[in-house]
Amino acid sequence: MITLPESTVAPTVLDQLKALSHEIRFELVRYLAGGERCVCDLEALLNLPQSKVSYHLAILRDAELVWAEQRGKNTYYALRQDQLFGLGGALLNDIFVQSSSLTHQDKSIC
């Protein structure tokens, strides 16, 4: 069973969008959408060194978009689908917040 470390503050929608906005991280998510993968597999798919792949995976992990599990010498990553599916709804909730009703303003130009 995989246990996720408890963080003091959950990432915001904006944090998660920022994590996804980088080309390499977006590609990592696309590869992980096909299932769990080892870092060495991701290195080969992206043609990048292990240090760069691990750096970007750490950002995705901090944004709670992927989880990691150590198995022997290898680390395997998979998507946290609940977070990705919830991101769309959370984004819409943040955009369409309950706003104060518009009222006539005396100095309005319209």
Side-chain angles (χ1 to χ4, degrees):
M1 185 74 187
I2 297 167
T3 57
L4 299 171
E6 291 186 34
S7 61
T8 55
V9 178
T12 65
V13 170
L14 188 55
D15 293 332
Q16 291 180 322
L17 290 174
K18 285 179 185 178
L20 288 171
S21 69
H22 192 279
E23 291 175 18
I24 293 173
R25 293 190 290 272
F26 188 75
E27 284 300 308
L28 284 166
V29 168
R30 290 182 64 202
Y31 285 128
L32 291 172
E36 177 183 280
R37 296 201 184 251
C38 177
V39 172
C40 57
D41 294 333
L42 295 168
E43 290 173 48
L45 288 166
L46 293 169
N47 195 27
L48 292 171
Q50 181 272 327
S51 60
K52 187 169 251 187
V53 172
S54 293
Y55 168 80
H56 288 288
L57 285 167
I59 292 171
L60 291 170
R61 195 174 56 241
D62 289 346
E64 297 183 359
L65 296 173
V66 300
W67 60 258
E69 180 179 31
Q70 188 76 32
R71 295 184 203 151
K73 293 182 181 181
N74 296 321
T75 303
Y76 289 82
Y77 286 84
L79 292 181
R80 291 192 57 195
Q81 291 183 2
D82 60 327
Q83 291 289 338
L84 287 165
F85 288 129
L87 182 57
L91 174 62
L92 291 173
N93 282 334
D94 280 4
I95 291 173
F96 294 104
V97 293
Q98 193 72 352
S99 60
S100 58
S101 61
L102 295 175
T103 58
H104 177 71
Q105 298 175 1
D106 291 332
K107 297 188 180 203
S108 175
I109 59 171
C110 55

